[in-house]
Amino acid sequence: MLLTPGPTPVPEFVRTAMADITIHHRTPEFEDIFAQTRELLLEIFDMPEAVMLASSGTGAMEACVTNLCHKKALTINSGKFGERFGKIAQAFNIDFTEIKNEWNTPVSVEAVVEAVKNDSDIDAIFIQLCESAGGLRHPVEQIAAEVKKINPSISIIADGITAIGVEKIDTTNLDAVITGSQKALMLPPGLAMIGLSNAAVEKINKKPAGYYLNLASEIKKQRENTTAYTATTTLIIGLKAILKHIKENGGFDALYAKTAQRAQATREALKAIGMDIYPTVPADAMTTVYTEASNDIRKLLKTKYNVNIAGGQDHLKGKIFRINHMGLVEDYEASWAVNAVELVLDELNIRPFDGTANKVFAQTMFKG
Ligand SMILES: *Cc1c(COP(=O)(O)O)cnc(C)c1O
């Protein structure tokens, strides 16, 4: 059972759709598939423009830094992925300033407002919706609303790689929202997507940047249902299949509601057996638990109960574990996982097993 917060398992109907014979990307047949996928993508982003890029999620992060920051970037670092925006800026000699917090702590709206007020050079803010390093949720929508009141020309770029497909995002004040194929969208890695506001498109076109990751040329081509370079035809066919499936099986809102409920049930179940939820504001994409026994717990979960979950990186190595909620996870899979954690705690002589985790999971999931 693969319950890591990316990559997530690829459903069989998606694998089947992608197994069809190769089609050329410069044909009316593929343009038709591209057009349908693009429509679905604009719908899930809830934004007026979107581009698909043949890269992992980081390629889209880089494209947003190089195409949407013309003066100075403000990056929000509460973990590995927020830190990455700063590293990208550095790699391109783009001036940037960073607000750094511990990996369990979201940035405060006030800290961002203060930074923007004190530095008129800042023209773009880069932030994660869900920072996957510790599983926290930043108050991106509130930050965006406050920043736009101060200066509406500052671009707000949100990395939604573990948020798009998890929850409904209010994109009113967002200029770019990034996602990738291998997390909540349940596809193999290799496709990155960016939703864009009209203001972002204008800014990009005013000063086109880069070659392969040139968003101005991609926007132009993709509006004509083609791509500047060879399209990831297989992954785009897979993307169409998954988005269509979600739409035709209850819709996006039903998926978001189900994910939120499963995430809450998992958190409550683990708290009830004495586990500490790591982030002060947890995102629904994953549940992150802080425990010194993380390595032992993960090892037994995998060898004895066939549950694969993720650990931590850098200073959180061996200190946390992360259970995925993204994608089409069945309720019984999450219930099996929390029960397995409780069994493992018993085996490690941390807490005797009495079935509490599953009881609380079921109560929260089905009666909550
Ligand atoms: C996984 C992830 C990324 C990086 O994506 P890659 O596909 O590995 O390049 C960036 N941001 C967040 C929040 C992620 O979870």
Side-chain angles (χ1 to χ4, degrees), residues 69-229:
C69 180
H70 294 166
K71 270 172 104 179
K72 184 173 182 176
L74 170 63
T75 64
I76 307 303
N77 176 356
S78 289
K80 211 143 183 77
F81 296 107
E83 179 189 42
R84 187 168 298 174
F85 275 128
K87 287 187 169 174
I88 294 168
Q90 218 163 12
F92 286 91
N93 285 318
I94 292 168
D95 196 12
F96 78 102
T97 182
E98 176 183 84
I99 302 177
K100 198 169 172 178
N101 278 298
E102 189 38 69
W103 290 16
N104 66 343
T105 310
V107 71
S108 73
V109 179
E110 296 73 34
V112 176
V113 165
E114 198 186 331
V116 167
K117 280 186 173 161
N118 290 336
D119 191 343
S120 59
D121 279 349
I122 294 169
D123 75 326
I125 299 175
F126 297 86
I127 185 168
Q128 273 60 40
L129 280 153
C130 163
E131 168 54 80
S132 317
L136 65 76
R137 180 66 159 85
H138 281 301
V140 177
E141 298 87 335
Q142 295 92 307
I143 288 170
E146 291 308 314
V147 168
K148 293 285 181 185
K149 278 186 215 158
I150 302 167
N151 181 355
S153 74
I154 296 175
S155 305
I156 313 287
I157 296 94
D159 168 0
I161 296 181
T162 46
I164 291 299
V166 172
E167 54 172 318
K168 175 88 182 101
I169 308 297
D170 178 3
T171 55
T172 312
N173 294 300
L174 304 183
D175 294 292
V177 179
I178 299 164
T179 194
S181 52
Q182 80 277 22
K183 308 266 172 94
L185 298 176
M186 294 161 279
L187 295 167
L191 182 69
M193 293 138 274
I194 311 172
L196 295 162
S197 70
N198 291 325
V201 173
E202 229 173 89
K203 189 172 178 182
I204 288 163
N205 286 333
K206 206 179 278 173
K207 201 176 158 192
Y211 188 81
Y212 184 68
L213 295 175
N214 183 315
L215 294 181
S217 57
E218 284 301 340
I219 292 165
K220 185 167 176 279
K221 289 286 183 184
Q222 297 195 20
R223 280 178 172 168
E224 295 161 4
N225 295 317
T226 186
T227 48
Y229 311 103

Side-chain angles (χ1 to χ4, degrees), residues 30-52 191 193-196 198 201 215 217-227 236-237 239-241 243 252:
F30 185 69
E31 278 173 23
D32 183 46
I33 292 169
F34 192 95
Q36 291 177 48
T37 313
R38 189 173 140 82
E39 275 309 307
L40 289 160
L41 198 56
L42 291 172
E43 193 176 330
I44 194 171
F45 272 129
D46 193 16
M47 295 182 91
E49 190 54 80
V51 288
M52 298 175 235
L191 182 69
M193 293 138 274
I194 311 172
L196 295 162
N198 291 325
V201 173
L215 294 181
S217 57
E218 284 301 340
I219 292 165
K220 185 167 176 279
K221 289 286 183 184
Q222 297 195 20
R223 280 178 172 168
E224 295 161 4
N225 295 317
T226 186
T227 48
I236 291 169
I237 288 166
L239 178 62
K240 184 188 143 197
L243 294 179
F252 296 120

Side-chain angles (χ1 to χ4, degrees), residues 236-292:
I236 291 169
I237 288 166
L239 178 62
K240 184 188 143 197
I242 190 75
L243 294 179
K244 237 178 123 210
H245 175 92
I246 296 169
K247 239 192 119 165
E248 288 166 5
N249 288 273
F252 296 120
D253 288 340
L255 174 67
Y256 303 150
K258 201 81 206 263
T259 307
Q261 211 170 354
R262 205 173 50 248
Q264 199 205 341
T266 303
R267 286 193 296 266
E268 295 305 324
L270 294 176
K271 278 196 272 184
I273 55 169
M275 302 267 89
D276 290 325
I277 303 300
Y278 177 63
T280 59
V281 184
D284 285 337
M286 66 197 73
T287 293
T288 306
V289 166
Y290 186 93
T291 163
E292 297 290 331

Side-chain angles (χ1 to χ4, degrees), residues 49-61:
E49 190 54 80
V51 288
M52 298 175 235
L53 302 169
S55 78
S56 85
T58 306
M61 293 170 74

